[in-house]
Amino acid sequence: MDERQAILSTVKAESQATLAALEHEHARMIEASLDSNADDEHDPEGATIAFEREQLAAALARTRAALARIDQAQAELQAGRYGVCAGCGEPIAVARLEARPLATHCISCADGRRV
Ligand SMILES: [Zn+2]
């Protein structure tokens, strides 16, 4: 397995683990809300629960989006386009991909764009 492939595999496994944990938490929260008669609007605890539910939904959406981008990156890898700078067309350094697996620009182009 080459370095780029290994980077994507690692980050994908991490995201999948995060997603599984979030989904578990989400299921638990739904179960808890079915058990209680908490009124989200009038019960002060309900407001906290609603906030937590929102945070969790946002985290789920972020993780799913990250996984979709990783899948896309793996397809790009197959096509030989992963880790190629979208700015200058040069390969992006492996060290940079390790830090930011979904980086689309090499460090010098990113600096130039102030990203
Ligand atoms: Zn570049």
Side-chain angles (χ1 to χ4, degrees), residues 11 38-39 50 58 68 70 84 102-103 109:
V11 78
D39 183 332
I70 294 162
V84 176
L102 299 172
C109 290

Side-chain angles (χ1 to χ4, degrees), residues 18-36:
T18 303
L19 185 62
L22 289 170
E23 279 173 344
H24 179 78
E25 182 68 14
H26 190 237
R28 205 188 53 79
M29 200 177 265
I30 287 170
E31 226 169 79
S33 72
L34 292 178
D35 282 350
S36 77

Side-chain angles (χ1 to χ4, degrees), residues 40-107:
D40 278 8
E41 290 189 27
H42 303 108
D43 180 349
E45 282 229 351
T48 308
I49 290 165
F51 177 73
E52 280 174 4
R53 207 179 292 164
E54 253 170 51
Q55 297 287 98
L56 187 60
L60 271 168
R62 267 201 310 277
T63 307
R64 288 196 179 113
L67 267 172
R69 286 209 305 276
I70 294 162
D71 281 344
Q72 199 188 339
Q74 283 183 323
E76 284 169 5
L77 183 74
Q78 296 294 321
R81 287 195 307 266
Y82 172 68
V84 176
C85 177
C88 64
E90 292 294 317
I92 301 172
V94 167
R96 173 162 168 79
L97 291 172
E98 275 170 354
R100 295 190 53 187
L102 299 172
T104 54
H105 288 76
C106 73
I107 194 83

